[in-house]
Amino acid sequence: MNVLVINSGSSSLKFQVIDMNTKQTLCKGLVERIGLDGILNYQPGNGEKRSQHLEIPDHNTALGYVLDTISCNIDAVGHRIVHGGAGVSAPLIINDKMLVEFEKYNSLAPLHNPACLLGVKAAQKFISDVPHVASFDTAYYTGMEDEDFLYALDYSLYEKYGYRKFGFHSASHKYVNLRAAAITGISPDKLHAISCHIGGGVTVAASIGCEGVDTSVGYGTVCGVPMGTRSGDVDPDVILNMIEEQGMSAKEVKEIIYKKSGLLGLSAVSSDIRDILNASSRGNKRAELALRIFSRSIRRFIGALAMSLQGRMDALIFTAGIGENSAIVRSMICRNLDVLGIKIDENLNNSCSGESIISAADSRVKVIVVPTNEELMIATQTIETIRS
Ligand code: ADP
């Protein structure tokens, strides 16, 4: 059974066809730098790699190129849906009514949900005779306790409007936690870990037994750590000042915090960490500042979320585009983390490739780099949902 997985990130669209009988990837690809100078990277499965620069202004165009590129038979499609609200805890077979329901959450994940839903509709049109399954970014955190997911607002606002923390990147955090359990030899139901998904979007999660117990993100997808274009945490008084004193509209403020902040806003160079690292190494002070704020914020969340691990941390995990590939960023994040028993070996950090332990021999916590495989998690959930 071949499952096509479609995973739209904030600046990328990943796709993969997996033969679930053998767990082999038949073809995969990544459309990256969407909205900048688009690149379609495609691997047909025979080891060959193709890369094409294309005009890719948005996710919809990206998906058009993807569907043109795939030639193998598809039996089911698994979609990553970032925000499905509080009502969803497990993957679901998609129907039209559900799509209307998910649109309600577009404003809470404006960089993803509209793209995900466009992706679902386009894929349903092109591949209409197979089931399409939604896998939710929020699902990993359904066991979070009320003391962790509630804001200290008037409780009736939660009852009336459902204001609470959700948590995102479920498939990624689940996958890397399961891998960390295998790598450390700790039983998956016993592992206490912090995982840092550091890509265009950034989430830090605390997990016990490979289930999310706390997270850096919240009701929507803008808070926590600064991201490629998103601000991360900002004092609500700044937002109120923008509206009340500076006369900005809610739409303008949203544009600022979702699209003009984070690495891009701080550096005025780019939302892409490779551009920031380049500019910083050439002496660009604002790029260097962006880098420092970015890594400091991740470190601060590691410290805060460690408090949700019930007194034990076995592993600190790095994953996603930046977490897997940037030794400099990992090194900056881990600076002075010995206070939590975390010490990396710079040689191992610099030379690592693929799944690697990069902690020093005397580090109490294992620091592990795990290339994420959200697609395999989503394909597995897709098959389980169809068969249940
Ligand atoms: P998303 O899916 O949220 O768009 P990704 O996980 O694809 O994000 O990560 C995108 C980020 O990863 C970009 O900032 C990009 O610069 C960074 N990245 C990708 N490859 C590398 C690399 N080889 N070295 C450093 N950073 C990289």
Side-chain angles (χ1 to χ4, degrees), residues 9-12 14 30 32 80 112 169 197-201 263 271-274 277 320-322 325-326:
S10 54
S11 64
S12 66
K14 296 178 185 118
L30 163 68
E32 53 177 342
R80 173 188 173 211
H112 299 82
H169 289 136
H197 179 111
I198 317 175
L263 293 174
S271 58
D272 190 307
I273 200 86
R274 287 167 289 197
L277 288 164
I322 301 170
N325 294 302
S326 179

Side-chain angles (χ1 to χ4, degrees), residues 124-361:
Q124 279 181 323
K125 196 168 84 188
F126 287 104
I127 317 167
S128 56
D129 51 348
V130 304
H132 290 246
V133 172
S135 167
F136 300 97
D137 252 39
T138 43
Y140 187 58
Y141 308 88
T142 43
M144 220 171 10
E145 292 184 23
D146 51 6
E147 66 207 65
D148 292 316
F149 74 67
L150 277 176
Y151 295 111
L153 292 166
D154 178 337
Y155 192 82
S156 67
L157 294 172
Y158 165 62
E159 292 174 312
K160 226 168 160 177
Y161 305 118
Y163 297 145
R164 54 159 289 170
K165 269 164 75 169
F166 287 98
F168 304 97
H169 289 136
S170 274
S172 180
H173 288 292
K174 180 88 180 177
Y175 178 79
V176 300
N177 270 270
L178 287 170
R179 288 306 307 147
I183 292 164
T184 54
I186 297 171
S187 165
D189 60 332
K190 300 266 177 341
L191 185 79
H192 290 224
I194 300 283
S195 42
C196 306
H197 179 111
I198 317 175
V202 183
T203 56
V204 183
S207 304
I208 297 180
C210 295
E211 295 296 336
V213 294
D214 206 351
T215 169
S216 59
V217 275
Y219 179 57
T221 48
V222 75
C223 76
V225 177
M227 313 188 195
T229 62
R230 283 170 272 175
S231 62
D233 284 347
V234 175
D235 181 342
D237 263 318
V238 174
I239 309 287
L240 291 172
N241 182 282
M242 286 176 175
I243 294 168
E244 291 173 353
E245 305 297 328
Q246 314 307 330
M248 294 182 198
S249 66
K251 197 170 167 212
E252 284 169 321
V253 174
K254 192 161 196 172
E255 182 81 7
I256 290 172
I257 60 174
Y258 270 94
K259 295 188 178 167
K260 295 182 175 167
S261 299
L263 293 174
L264 175 67
L266 284 167
S267 69
V269 170
S270 171
S271 58
D272 190 307
I273 200 86
R274 287 167 289 197
D275 299 334
I276 303 276
L277 288 164
N278 258 331
S280 169
S281 69
R282 282 186 275 104
N284 183 314
K285 291 285 176 223
R286 290 264 300 275
E288 194 250 342
L289 175 69
L291 209 48
R292 279 191 285 123
I293 292 176
F294 185 66
S295 47
R296 175 72 65 96
S297 172
I298 295 170
R299 188 180 339 147
R300 191 177 289 131
F301 272 102
I302 292 170
L305 292 171
M307 297 305 110
S308 297
L309 288 181
Q310 296 177 5
R312 200 180 91 214
M313 192 191 320
D314 302 308
L316 172 67
I317 311 162
F318 288 105
T319 193
I322 301 170
E324 292 165 26
N325 294 302
S326 179
I328 298 174
V329 173
R330 288 194 302 260
S331 172
M332 289 178 77
I333 292 169
C334 291
R335 215 166 276 165
N336 296 328
L337 272 183
D338 356 13
V339 67
L340 293 177
I342 295 167
K343 217 157 118 189
I344 60 169
D345 178 319
E346 290 296 349
N347 288 330
L348 293 177
N349 182 41
N350 288 325
S351 60
C352 86
S353 96
E355 283 186 356
S356 315
I357 295 179
I358 60 165
S359 37

